[in-house]
């Protein structure tokens, strides 16, 4: 009985750790070049976290190798709560099936923090394409097997896998044309050298408004505020198809849960605020997500199951 007074002391270090955190600059590694949508997102988040905590958030851009360089960096960083990765489902799910070997383990090397946004894609076609809806595109493609082509931003990328999955679900045969970037693919759509592709909404919306391409449907549960005239896939008659992806935060495995919870709670509070949505998310076509570490951890097995199906459908291997 005399030892019960020690119990509060056992929990004191953990509580004190969370209360004092952060006590020095926090690093977030981003696997993309500066100035892109994800970079703008994390820099906006970093500024708000700096304002909240009074500690600098240092954003480091480490692009390349389908996000592997940045993922490897964080997987090998100290698990002290001061090193984080912002990455897409490529790191956490897709790469495990696209590569036979990785320099990190997507399951064991990271501590989930949470998804902060989902990014939706729009199915676009060339302006003179003889279809104005998804079902019309499917019918036309079935009548012309192997004659249509679709673009992507590189083999194994989110828009490549989305279209491969679209083809598989609908029994279509379209030829894949990889590009080095979204801009090149959209240019060929506008000049009718390319038939169709999935494009990030923020990049394609201005061209749609200008009448330089057609938008047939968007992924996500609701129409996008940038292009409210374009229906969702559910509204277009494909309720079981989704072409969305996400950006999420993770830390090195072994990072104290109390710090993960605090980082997730503050990040979720920021990205779901009206000010952040208006300033950062609306123009990028992103939707805010407020995950806990537990929710993200529960989501990942399902995400990896779907990733395996998409990669198999695409036939992509990036070794």
């Amino acid at each position: 009985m005399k030892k019960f007074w020690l119990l509060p002391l056992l929990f004191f270090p953990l509580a004190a750790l969370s209360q004092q955190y952060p006590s020095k600059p926090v690093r977030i590694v981003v696997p993309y070049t500066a100035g892109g949508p994800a970079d703008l997102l994390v820099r906006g988040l970093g500024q708000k976290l700096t304002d909240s905590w009074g500690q600098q958030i240092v954003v480091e851009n480490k692009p390349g190798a389908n996000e592997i360089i940045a993922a490897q960096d964080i997987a090998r960083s100290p698990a002290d709560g001061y090193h984080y990765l912002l990455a897409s489902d490529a790191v956490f799910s897709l790469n495990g099936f696209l590569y036979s070997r990785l320099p990190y383990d997507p399951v064991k090397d990271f501590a989930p923090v949470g998804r902060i946004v989902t990014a939706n894609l729009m199915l676009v076609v060339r302006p003179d394409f003889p279809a104005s809806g998804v079902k019309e595109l499917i019918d036309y493609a079935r009548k012309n097997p192997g004659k249509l082509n679709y673009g992507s931003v590189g083999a194994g990328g989110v828009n490549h896998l989305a279209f491969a999955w679209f083809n598989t679900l609908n029994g279509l045969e379209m030829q894949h044309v990889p590009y080095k970037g979204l801009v090149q693919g959209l240019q060929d759509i506008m000049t009718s050298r390319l038939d169709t592709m999935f494009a990030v909404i923020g990049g394609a919306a201005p061209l749609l408004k200008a009448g330089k391409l057609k938008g047939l449907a968007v992924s996500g549960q609701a129409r996008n505020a940038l292009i409210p005239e374009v229906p969702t896939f559910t509204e277009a008659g494909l309720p079981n198809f989704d072409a969305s992806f996400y950006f999420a935060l993770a830390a090195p495995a072994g990072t104290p849960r109390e710090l993960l919870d605090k980082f997730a709670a503050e990040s979720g509070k920021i990205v779901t605020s009206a000010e952040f949505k208006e300033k950062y998310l609306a123009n990028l076509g992103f939707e805010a997500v407020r995950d806990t570490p537990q929710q993200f951890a529960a989501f990942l097995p399902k995400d990896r199951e779907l990733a395996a199906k998409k990669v198999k459908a695409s036939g992509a291997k990036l070794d």
Side-chain angles (χ1 to χ4, degrees):
M1 295 294 293
K2 294 181 179 179
K3 295 182 179 179
F4 285 148
W5 66 272
L6 292 173
L7 289 177
L9 296 179
L10 296 177
F11 296 97
F12 176 76
L14 297 179
L17 180 66
S18 178
Q19 290 173 3
Q20 296 169 3
Y21 175 84
S23 59
K24 62 181 181 179
V26 177
R27 186 172 72 116
I28 303 179
V29 175
V30 186
Y32 318 105
T33 55
D39 178 70
L40 296 175
L41 168 70
V42 75
R43 290 183 185 276
L45 174 62
Q47 183 58 58
K48 290 296 183 182
L49 288 171
T50 296
D51 295 342
S52 297
W53 288 338
Q55 289 291 344
Q56 185 180 6
I57 306 298
V58 179
V59 177
E60 293 185 14
N61 299 91
K62 294 199 170 185
N66 212 32
E67 306 185 19
I68 291 174
I69 295 173
Q72 183 179 15
D73 179 300
I74 291 302
R76 296 178 177 179
S77 294
D80 58 4
Y82 290 89
H83 303 271
Y84 292 90
L85 172 72
L86 182 126
S88 76
D89 46 354
V91 165
F92 306 112
S93 297
L94 295 170
N95 283 349
F97 304 100
L98 288 167
Y99 297 86
S100 58
R101 294 183 65 185
L102 288 172
Y104 69 90
D105 188 315
V107 178
K108 298 179 180 179
D109 286 348
F110 300 110
V113 176
R115 291 169 295 168
I116 59 172
V117 296
T118 55
N120 293 313
L121 299 175
M122 176 167 53
L123 178 59
V124 302
V125 294
R126 52 186 167 85
D128 60 343
F129 195 86
S132 298
V134 177
K135 287 296 184 70
E136 293 178 22
L137 169 63
I138 293 171
D139 290 341
Y140 187 90
R142 285 174 177 166
K143 293 175 182 177
N144 297 273
K147 295 182 180 180
L148 299 181
N149 53 32
Y150 70 91
S152 78
V153 185
V158 290
N159 41 20
H160 174 210
L161 299 178
F163 220 115
W165 188 235
F166 179 78
N167 282 344
T168 296
L169 291 179
N170 295 292
L172 307 180
E173 296 178 25
M174 297 193 210
Q175 304 302 313
H176 176 218
V177 181
Y179 290 85
K180 292 183 178 180
L182 179 64
V183 172
Q184 293 89 337
L186 290 175
Q187 286 175 341
D188 277 2
I189 287 273
M190 291 187 290
T191 55
S192 296
R193 288 193 290 268
L194 183 69
D195 293 308
T196 182
M197 74 181 302
F198 277 105
V200 176
I201 290 174
L207 303 177
L208 176 69
K209 296 291 187 183
K212 296 181 178 180
L213 50 77
K214 292 182 185 179
L216 303 189
V218 294
S219 62
Q221 298 180 350
R223 295 193 182 201
N224 190 277
L226 285 178
I227 43 172
E229 67 273 23
V230 180
T232 65
F233 278 97
T234 297
E235 292 174 321
L238 276 73
N240 297 320
F241 177 75
D242 184 35
S244 62
F245 60 103
Y246 60 85
F247 292 111
L249 289 161
T255 300
R257 170 54 61 86
E258 292 72 19
L259 304 188
L260 299 177
D261 288 341
K262 187 170 184 177
F263 201 92
E266 191 63 28
S267 298
K269 176 183 174 183
I270 290 169
V271 298
T272 55
S273 69
E275 178 190 0
F276 196 87
K277 287 180 180 179
E278 181 179 354
K279 186 173 182 179
Y280 293 101
L281 303 189
N283 291 333
L284 296 174
F286 294 159
E287 296 178 7
V289 180
R290 193 169 187 171
D291 260 358
T292 64
Q294 296 88 337
Q295 288 171 327
F296 187 32
F299 165 82
L300 282 171
K302 300 175 185 177
D303 188 55
R304 289 173 180 136
E305 183 179 346
L306 180 58
K309 294 178 181 178
K310 288 183 177 180
V311 171
K312 182 178 180 181
S314 73
K317 282 293 180 183
L318 302 183
D319 291 306

